[in-house]
């Protein structure tokens, strides 16, 4: 019967001989019994749960940000301090980053249609790319501001104010980092977990521009995130497509469940937002250090610029890992966890298979992998059998469910 | 070598769907002259005939990727790359001079302008890097090759232009609220020079100086984005000059007006490019192939006697002009797969889909 009707709404189906089709397990060749992320974008419970959890986190983070920002704006206007206002602008850029992440999260749940036959999962990746570009842009603006400040020698640099405002910003950012990084399963020890061997650069978000240009956008975020994210990224990337193999988690705190695990991978958008916040924190540390030094010795104004440059470099280096992952997906390259040569060898070792060519393995988004290849079989082999074997092998060994195999006879 | 290798390489230049009198293709009259002498669809053999003993990964040509060096690619630059190089060097020289002057005389506007230019230069350098790096042959990790880099660089350019438009809007807002506007006057000289440099850039890429272009190859997108970049920069300089002139005439809120206009203009300029590049990166169905043609093909396939149904027909564009697809057929027991495959491949090839993987289930 119409087996695929509900699953693949974009298909044009003409079912000729119903009785012949009926006994045929057509469904098993497609998505199989595992929840198909392709067709049930909305209804798959695991996806939906993860998505709603991430959405809640980001929503709360946005609300917090807006509250703090309005507090700062009011306080800044009352105290007539530019530093506080610029910090508020900085928080505004935070809100922008979260908004992008939220939108990507929401959009990636949209149903596939004939124009977007693979669904909207790629929007996550593009949203993360835009986020990272924003980070780079903001870092560039910060560096420019620091240099401009140095040139203009505005004279009095209130080290104390710098310190206090940045400390406040730091606290805010730590709160958000905890919120975004906290997994309820808590198997991961991601985010803020202490003692992980990576520097927890939750310094202060310092506002470097005490009495300076109010149009300066808050660019702190960029710095901090990378540190924490770096090691976490490593975890989450290693996990997700090895269901049966024990996932080598370098952190080691992950709860290993038996059976196919849908990894507790943090959504890439939450990761991106986390990157922003952490980067902010690192920048805050830098500004706090600078503020403290200037407070102590007001004539060493160049410290401001040096701190800015160093911490901006740190922030940029932390975004590199995530940028590499994004680039890998966008270039349709073989995902890092899958060894294409081994796969090809494994397939060639099968009895009826003569050769494999045009093997393409690519990911829609991190964790969702597709495969397409042409398999050349011996002239007398049973094509259907070989097809089943190949699909089963790939699913078993590499956990790739969406494969398209073209069988050719020699 | 070309014919015997995997499916995708035997037709690189196939055009589809557009006759040469299409006005939108006018921009490439010079560049594609040699291409137009090729037959419309040059296909010399059935796509599924592969000589025996050929294996994707054992073939020596894919075995060791030939030493690719960016420097070697840069040495053998084609014309647009050379022009881009000249453009970048001009920009770098100009921004260095401007920054030096700004630092010496202590003028904020010049330094900020120089920074803005440096950002733009960085972006253009990335475009050039994409042009050079995208020539690499596909290897085991990047099985589809590196052409996507050009689309990525076009996307980054478009994104940056959107950011720029947004920041100009913020500047306009700032000018509106601040109401002190004398600081624009001494930027006239720098704005004029900026305008001249960017107009040179527009002249270099004049073939691509339009908003909606039909993209036929990957490089088209990159060149288009570079052209839009310099065009947007020149619009911005022109806006600044206009604002100064209006101010000297005594027009109220001249700055706000001009900056607002510039911001809107740049936004409208960039949006189509952004949408198209975004569409390709999102694996959207290729806009160059109308849905009616695809469904017609589907119907043709299902109208064959031995085919029960067609499912999971998905197509996406790797770069403009190179469409990849996969399709699943339910066929009757005992059908000759060779004839079915040949039929389906031929059918979709006529649409311009060169890489197709057909899964036949019995």
């Amino acid at each position: 019967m119409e087996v695929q009707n509900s699953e693949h709404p974009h298909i044009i189906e003409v079912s000729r001989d119903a009785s012949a089709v009926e006994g045929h397990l057509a469904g098993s060749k497609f998505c199989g019994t595992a929840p198909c992320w392709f067709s049930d974008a909305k209804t798959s419970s695991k996806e939906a749960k993860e998505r709603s959890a991430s959405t809640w986190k980001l929503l709360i983070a946005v609300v917090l940000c807006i509250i703090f920002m309005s507090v700062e704006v009011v306080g800044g206007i009352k105290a007539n301090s530019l530093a506080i206002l610029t910090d508020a602008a900085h928080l505004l850029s935070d809100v922008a980053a979260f908004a992008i992440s939220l939108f990507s999260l929401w959009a990636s749940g949209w149903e596939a249609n004939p124009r977007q036959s693979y669904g909207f999962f790629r929007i996550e990746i593009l949203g993360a790319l835009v986020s990272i570009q924003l980070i780079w842009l903001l870092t560039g603006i910060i560096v420019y501001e620091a240099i401009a400040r140095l040139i203009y020698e505005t004279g009095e640099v209130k080290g104390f104010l710098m310190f206090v405002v940045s400390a406040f910003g730091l606290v805010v950012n730590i709160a958000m980092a905890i919120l975004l990084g906290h997994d309820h399963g808590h198997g991961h020890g991601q985010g803020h977990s202490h003692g992980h061997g990576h520097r927890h650069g939750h310094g202060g978000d310092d506002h470097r521009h005490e009495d300076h240009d109010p149009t300066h956008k808050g660019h702190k975020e960029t710095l901090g995130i990378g540190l924490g994210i770096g090691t976490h990224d490593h975890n989450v990337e290693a996990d997700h497509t090895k269901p049966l193999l024990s996932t080598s988690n370098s952190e080691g705190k992950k709860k290993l469940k038996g059976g196919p695990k849908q990894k507790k991978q943090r959504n890439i958008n939450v990761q991106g937002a986390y990157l922003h916040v952490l980067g902010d924190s690192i920048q805050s540390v830098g500004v706090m250090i600078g503020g403290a030094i200037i407070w102590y010795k007001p004539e060493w104004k160049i410290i401001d610029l040096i701190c800015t440059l160093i911490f901006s470099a740190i922030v940029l280096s932390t975004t590199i890992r995530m940028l590499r992952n994004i680039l890998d997906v966008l270039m349709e390259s073989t995902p890092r966890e899958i060894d294409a040569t081994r796969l090809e060898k494994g397939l060639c070792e099968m009895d009826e298979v003569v050769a494999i060519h045009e093997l393409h393995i690519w990911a829609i988004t991190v964790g969702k992998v597709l495969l397409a290849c042409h398999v050349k079989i011996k002239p007398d082999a049973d094509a259907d059998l070989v097809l089943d074997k190949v699909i089963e092998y790939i699913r078993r060994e590499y956990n790739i469910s969406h494969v398209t195999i073209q069988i050719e006879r020699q | 070598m070309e014919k015997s290798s995997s499916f995708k390489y035997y037709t690189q230049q196939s055009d589809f769907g557009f006759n040469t009198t299409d006005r939108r293709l006018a921009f490439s009259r010079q560049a594609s002259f040699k291409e137009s002498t090729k037959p419309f669809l040059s296909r010399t053999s059935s796509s599924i005939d592969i000589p025996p003993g050929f294996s994707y990964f054992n073939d020596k040509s894919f075995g060791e990727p030939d030493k690719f060096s960016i420097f070697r690619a840069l040495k053998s630059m084609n014309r647009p790359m050379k022009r881009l190089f000249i453009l970048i060097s001009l920009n770098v020289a100009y921004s260095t001079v401007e920054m030096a002057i700004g630092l010496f005389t202590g003028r904020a506007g010049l330094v900020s302008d120089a920074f803005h230019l440096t950002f733009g230069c960085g972006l253009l350098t990335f475009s050039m890097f994409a042009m050079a790096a995208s020539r690499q042959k596909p290897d085991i990790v990047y099985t589809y090759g590196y052409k996507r880099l050009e689309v990525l660089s076009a996307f980054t350019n478009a994104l940056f232009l959107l950011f720029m438009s947004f920041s100009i809007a913020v500047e306009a807002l700032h000018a509106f609220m601040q109401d002190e506007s004398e600081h624009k006057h001494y930027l006239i000289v720098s704005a004029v020079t900026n305008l001249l440099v960017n107009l040179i850039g527009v002249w270099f890429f004049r073939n691509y100086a339009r908003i909606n272009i039909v993209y036929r190859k990957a490089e088209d997108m990159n060149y288009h984005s570079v052209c839009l970049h310099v065009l947007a920069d020149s619009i911005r300089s022109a806006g600044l000059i206009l604002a100064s002139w209006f101010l000297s005439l005594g027009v109220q809120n001249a700055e706000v007006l001009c900056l607002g206009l510039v911001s809107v203009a740049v936004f409208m300029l960039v949006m189509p490019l952004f949408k198209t590049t975004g569409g390709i990166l999102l694996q959207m169905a290729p806009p160059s192939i109308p849905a009616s043609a695809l469904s017609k093909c589907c119907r043709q396939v299902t109208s064959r006697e031995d085919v029960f149904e067609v499912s999971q027909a998905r197509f996406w564009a790797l770069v403009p002009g190179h469409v990849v697809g996969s399709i699943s057929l339910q066929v009757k027991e005992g059908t000759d797969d060779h004839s079915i495959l040949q039929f389906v491949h031929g059918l979709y090839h006529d649409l311009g889909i060169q890489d197709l993987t057909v899964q036949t289930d019995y």
Side-chain angles (χ1 to χ4, degrees), chain B residues 12 21 42 81 116 237 250 254 268 271 273 285 327 338:
Chain B
Q12 288 289 18
T21 56
S42 57
M81 266 174 80
H116 180 95
S237 309
M268 313 253 359
M271 225 18 184
L273 176 71
I327 189 170
H338 188 91

Side-chain angles (χ1 to χ4, degrees), chain B residues 308-326:
Chain B
F308 287 137
E309 64 180 329
V310 173
S311 57
Q312 298 197 328
R314 301 199 174 99
F315 305 97
W316 53 280
L318 176 70
V319 286
H322 184 168
V323 182
V324 179
S326 72

